């Protein structure tokens, strides 16, 4: 049932996001004096349609977005457009005589009335004469009509093109306002690169990395949201609550793979409870130990926390690395805490390897109280502008992340850093399924808002077929003083279309191999076929 709800919800999410985007184009086109032939919700076969004020409003069978067909578009994709061509003089005279009988021979004659008249002639004219009429329409009347998008000035066309992006940004901002109202104006994000945020207090969320009491073991890897009903808006809030509740059981609101829920536990106190205890906090955690290494021979395991090295209190993982280099070839005593919370000592025989060979044979990290790869944003001091600020920050965050991925790709001379970080609809379905499974309305709301802003960001990129690509052509036209030919635009669009399809297929296949639910579906289908 969860999977069915996930698919329905995913379709609705993308349907609404694309529909809102297209509605932006539609409403600005109407206000700019461009004739809109069709405004549709969904694709595929028609379920319902109604014509009103010259516009055909359609509801189609596949609710994945929608489209706006403006005058000049050959279809709803706006991929191909009619371009002006001269018609045979005799054919043109025949058509003009035909239209003049109904008073429709003016270049600015009402488009809807003309098209209605043209359709009425199909049964009255011979195939040859009707072809002349159709040819005139697509070669002269439509391309040269003043209500054709292509015949509007720079500013109206720019406004129409950018309207979809603006609508997605506005929708994202509104949804963020709703989300912040429900979350005390805080949210957590994964940290990528070195992002800068405006209007928000930035901190790292506290996380329960290690638990030493058996009754709390299932909470390892959980992010802390609140303690004793007090939201953890920043690190100072958490430090104060830790001190106030030393040796006390408190209700903690946490988030992990099971969702968001509240549990009663002791965070820190006499003895060892979690990685927040002062005895182990900010010491050195071993996250892996290599086979047959000096660490393994000394009886150390992944999860052990090193406290002292030859009687010297360890400050952090960098301090340990410096000491290892200084004690090459020597035997030292190391004090550590194992995953059961037992304090132990061991003798560590350090080799004196050549070149960059490992000395310890383990990966040490700081046993921090905070998750350094995540960011907690607090907009409580800017509640009035929180939605707009967060939407803006999300755009700059995406720019920073994209720059970081591209920088890695250039440095490694490989597309893998970019390819591995970009996800398809398969990944979005996977995230949606998780949120449905854990019944997290707030996270679904956050996902929709983020997707809306990301859709705006992606569409404004100067890539042909995207709104940003059309805007790029518009600025080139402004600089050159003449339009790029429709033939050239179509050729560029066709090449980019093929590249985007190949990229999409590659990313979808990558995500299918990465996530579990597509594998299960493929396996089920394969079993049925066999």
């Amino acid at each position: 049932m969860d999977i069915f709800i996930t698919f329905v919800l995913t379709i609705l999410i993308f349907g609404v996001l694309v529909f809102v985007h297209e509605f932006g184009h539609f409403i600005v086109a109407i206000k700019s004096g461009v004739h809109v032939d069709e405004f549709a919700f969904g694709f595929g076969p028609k379920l319902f349609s109604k014509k009103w004020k010259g516009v055909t409003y359609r509801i189609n069978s596949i609710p994945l977005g929608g489209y706006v067909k403006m005058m000049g578009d050959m279809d709803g994709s706006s991929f191909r457009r009619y371009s002006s061509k001269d018609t045979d003089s005799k054919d043109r005279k025949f058509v003009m005589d035909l239209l003049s009988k109904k008073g429709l021979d003016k270049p600015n004659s009402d488009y809807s009335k003309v098209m209605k008249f043209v359709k009425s002639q199909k049964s009255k004219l011979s195939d040859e004469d009707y072809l002349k009429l159709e040819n005139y329409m697509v070669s002269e009347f439509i391309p040269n009509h003043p209500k054709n998008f292509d015949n509007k000035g720079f500013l109206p066309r720019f406004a129409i093109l950018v309207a979809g992006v603006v609508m997605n940004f506005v929708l994202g901002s509104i949804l963020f306002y709703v989300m912040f109202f429900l979350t005390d104006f805080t949210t957590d994000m994964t940290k990528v690169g070195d992002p800068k945020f405006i209007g928000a207090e930035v901190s790292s969320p506290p996380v329960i990395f290690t638990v030493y009491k058996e009754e709390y073991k299932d909470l390892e890897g959980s992010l802390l949201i609140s303690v004793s009903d007090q939201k953890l808006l920043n690190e100072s809030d958490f430090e104060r609550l830790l001190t106030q509740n030393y040796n006390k059981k408190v209700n903690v609101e946490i988030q992990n793979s099971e969702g968001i829920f509240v549990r009663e536990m002791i965070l820190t106190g006499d003895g060892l409870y979690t990685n927040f205890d002062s005895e182990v906090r900010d010491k050195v955690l071993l996250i892996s130990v290599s086979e047959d290494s000096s660490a393994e021979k000394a009886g150390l395991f992944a999860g052990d926390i090193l406290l002292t090295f030859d009687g010297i209190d360890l400050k952090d993982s960098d301090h340990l690395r410096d000491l290892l280099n200084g004690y090459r070839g020597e035997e030292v005593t190391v004090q550590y805490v194992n995953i059961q919370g037992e304090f132990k000592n061991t003798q560590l025989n350090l080799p004196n390897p050549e070149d960059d060979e490992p000395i310890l044979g383990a990966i040490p990290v700081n046993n921090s109280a905070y998750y350094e790869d995540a960011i907690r944003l607090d907009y409580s001091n800017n509640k009035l502008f929180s939605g707009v600020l967060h939407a803006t920050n999300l755009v700059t965050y995406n720019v920073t992340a994209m720059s970081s991925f591209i920088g890695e790709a250039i440095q490694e001379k490989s597309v893998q850093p970019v390819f591995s970080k970009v996800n398809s609809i398969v990944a979005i379905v996977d995230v949606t399924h998780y949120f449905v499974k854990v019944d997290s309305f707030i996270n679904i709301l956050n996902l929709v808002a983020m997707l809306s802003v990301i859709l705006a960001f992606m569409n404004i990129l100067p890539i042909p077929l995207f709104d940003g690509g059309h805007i790029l052509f518009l600025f080139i036209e402004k600089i050159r003083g003449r339009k790029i030919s429709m033939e050239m635009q179509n050729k560029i669009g066709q090449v980019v279309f093929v590249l985007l399809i190949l990229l999409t297929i590659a990313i979808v296949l990558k995500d299918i191999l990465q996530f579990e639910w597509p594998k299960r579906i493929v396996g089920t289908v394969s079993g049925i076929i066999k």
Side-chain angles (χ1 to χ4, degrees):
M1 188 63 180
D2 284 346
I3 292 179
F4 173 74
I5 294 173
T6 298
F7 276 106
V8 172
L9 188 59
T10 303
I11 289 171
L12 287 176
I13 288 171
F14 278 94
V16 169
L17 293 183
V18 179
F19 180 77
V20 166
H21 181 93
E22 294 300 331
F23 180 77
H25 293 311
F26 166 73
I27 198 67
V28 177
I30 294 291
K31 295 295 183 183
S32 300
V34 172
H35 176 82
V36 175
D37 197 26
E38 283 184 15
F39 179 46
F41 176 71
F43 299 97
K46 176 181 67 176
L47 296 178
F48 170 82
S49 72
K50 182 177 178 59
K51 194 159 189 173
W52 186 60
K53 292 187 177 181
V55 181
T56 299
Y57 297 88
R58 291 174 51 128
I59 297 177
N60 296 323
S61 56
I62 305 172
L64 283 173
Y67 62 84
V68 178
K69 184 182 176 187
M70 293 180 280
M71 185 187 288
D73 291 336
M74 290 186 182
D75 52 45
S77 68
S78 298
F79 182 68
R80 298 180 302 150
R81 297 183 59 77
Y82 295 113
S83 55
S84 180
K85 298 174 185 176
D86 292 331
T87 55
D88 181 84
S89 58
K90 290 181 181 179
D91 292 349
R92 189 178 190 280
K93 185 178 185 309
F94 166 76
V95 172
M96 295 307 292
D97 288 344
L98 193 64
L99 291 172
S100 65
K101 293 176 183 178
K102 294 290 184 178
L104 300 173
D105 55 334
K106 302 291 189 293
N108 62 344
S109 294
D110 186 275
Y111 175 80
S112 298
K113 291 180 180 178
V114 173
M115 292 307 295
K116 184 178 181 181
F117 173 74
V118 170
K119 288 179 182 178
S120 71
Q121 299 303 298
K122 188 171 180 63
S123 59
K124 298 177 182 179
L125 298 175
S126 66
D127 289 346
E128 183 181 354
D129 286 343
Y130 188 72
L131 186 61
K132 293 176 185 177
L133 180 58
E134 273 194 327
N135 186 53
Y136 168 78
M137 294 301 297
V138 299
S139 299
E140 288 196 41
F141 180 76
I142 292 175
N144 298 321
H145 197 283
K147 287 196 171 185
N148 188 315
F149 170 83
D150 293 324
N151 297 327
K152 293 296 178 180
F154 174 83
L155 287 179
R157 282 185 289 160
F158 176 80
I160 293 168
L161 290 172
V162 82
V165 168
V166 172
M167 284 296 291
N168 280 130
F169 185 87
V170 170
L171 175 63
S173 298
I174 292 171
L175 293 178
F176 281 137
Y177 274 116
V178 176
M179 182 194 75
F180 285 138
F181 179 77
L182 299 172
T183 61
D184 290 332
F185 296 89
T186 62
T187 187
D188 294 336
M189 296 175 63
T190 302
K191 184 179 180 181
V192 179
D194 186 24
K196 305 297 180 187
F197 299 97
I198 56 173
E201 187 173 341
V202 183
S203 61
S204 295
V207 61
I208 305 173
F209 282 117
T210 310
V211 173
Y212 295 103
K213 301 298 182 183
E214 194 61 39
E215 62 265 37
Y216 307 138
K217 275 288 186 182
D218 60 317
L219 301 182
E220 284 187 343
S222 300
L223 285 177
L224 287 177
I225 299 172
S226 68
V227 174
S228 298
D229 296 324
Q230 297 184 54
K231 284 282 184 180
L232 302 177
L233 303 180
N234 50 55
E235 294 175 11
S236 60
D237 281 350
F238 180 60
E239 298 299 336
R240 174 178 53 79
L241 288 167
L242 271 185
T243 303
Q244 289 176 356
N245 294 287
Y246 188 81
N247 266 338
K248 295 179 183 178
K249 280 192 173 183
V250 291
N251 287 325
V252 292
E253 184 182 10
I254 60 178
Q255 179 175 4
N256 58 24
S257 60
E258 300 300 318
I260 299 175
F261 52 93
V262 176
R263 281 280 293 273
E264 187 181 57
M265 69 178 298
I266 297 175
L267 289 172
T268 182
D270 296 329
L272 291 179
Y273 287 90
T274 67
N275 53 292
F276 303 131
D277 285 299
S278 59
E279 294 91 337
V280 295
R281 183 171 171 179
D282 296 326
K283 297 299 183 180
V284 180
L285 169 67
L286 301 182
I287 59 173
S288 72
V289 175
S290 300
E291 187 178 349
D292 202 34
S293 63
S294 56
E296 185 188 57
K297 291 174 181 176
L300 297 174
F301 296 92
D304 291 345
I305 297 173
L306 308 188
L307 307 177
T308 66
F309 184 96
D310 197 33
I312 303 169
D313 285 336
L314 291 171
K315 298 174 183 177
D316 53 37
S317 57
D318 287 335
H319 186 205
L320 173 64
R321 291 187 184 94
D322 291 339
L323 290 171
L324 288 171
N325 278 314
Y327 281 77
R328 284 170 175 262
E330 296 185 27
E331 182 180 355
V332 295
T333 300
V334 173
Q335 185 187 29
Y336 67 99
V337 174
N338 63 19
I339 55 176
Q340 286 78 35
E342 300 168 332
F343 288 82
K344 292 193 171 186
N345 292 310
T346 187
Q347 296 301 118
L348 187 62
N349 291 299
L350 299 176
N352 187 16
E354 297 179 356
D355 302 324
D356 294 326
E357 292 180 19
I359 301 172
L360 183 62
I363 299 176
V365 297
N366 297 336
N367 188 40
S368 175
Y370 300 96
Y371 187 33
E372 302 298 336
D373 290 331
I375 301 167
R376 177 158 292 170
L377 302 177
D378 173 22
Y379 290 96
S380 55
N381 292 327
N382 281 294
K383 293 179 181 178
L384 183 61
F385 302 103
S386 58
V388 174
L389 285 171
H390 190 57
T392 303
N393 283 332
L394 195 59
V395 172
T396 58
Y397 172 83
N398 274 280
V399 172
T400 301
M402 195 71 73
S403 301
S404 175
F405 299 154
I406 293 172
E408 286 181 41
I410 293 172
Q411 188 174 7
E412 297 179 18
K413 298 179 180 179
S414 168
V415 297
Q416 183 61 25
V418 177
F419 183 72
S420 62
K421 305 288 194 312
V422 177
N423 292 318
S424 69
I425 190 172
V426 174
I428 294 167
V429 172
D430 188 75
V431 173
T432 305
H433 179 243
Y434 165 69
F435 291 153
V436 168
K437 189 169 65 176
V438 300
D439 193 22
S440 181
F441 170 75
I442 289 174
N443 279 324
I444 292 174
L445 190 66
N446 186 30
L447 174 67
V448 178
M450 288 177 65
L451 287 174
S452 190
V453 175
I454 291 170
L455 181 62
F457 169 72
M458 295 301 294
N459 255 288
I460 204 64
L461 293 175
I463 300 172
L465 301 184
F466 292 6
D467 292 336
H470 292 298
I471 291 171
L472 175 63
F473 288 149
L474 193 61
F475 274 97
I476 292 173
E477 174 192 326
K478 184 74 173 175
I479 295 168
R480 294 174 73 225
R482 66 181 188 276
K483 295 179 181 179
I484 299 174
S485 70
M486 195 57 64
E487 184 181 0
M488 177 59 71
Q489 289 189 45
N490 286 338
K491 285 181 179 178
I492 294 172
Q494 288 167 2
V495 171
V496 173
F497 179 75
V498 171
L499 292 175
L500 287 175
I501 289 295
L502 292 174
L503 179 62
T504 301
I505 291 171
I507 294 172
V508 166
L509 289 174
K510 183 261 296 184
D511 286 345
I512 286 175
L513 295 173
Q514 180 178 351
F515 298 107
E516 288 299 321
W517 67 267
K519 294 178 189 176
R520 290 199 297 270
I521 292 174
V522 171
T524 302
V525 173
S526 299
I528 292 171
I529 294 172
K530 290 177 182 178

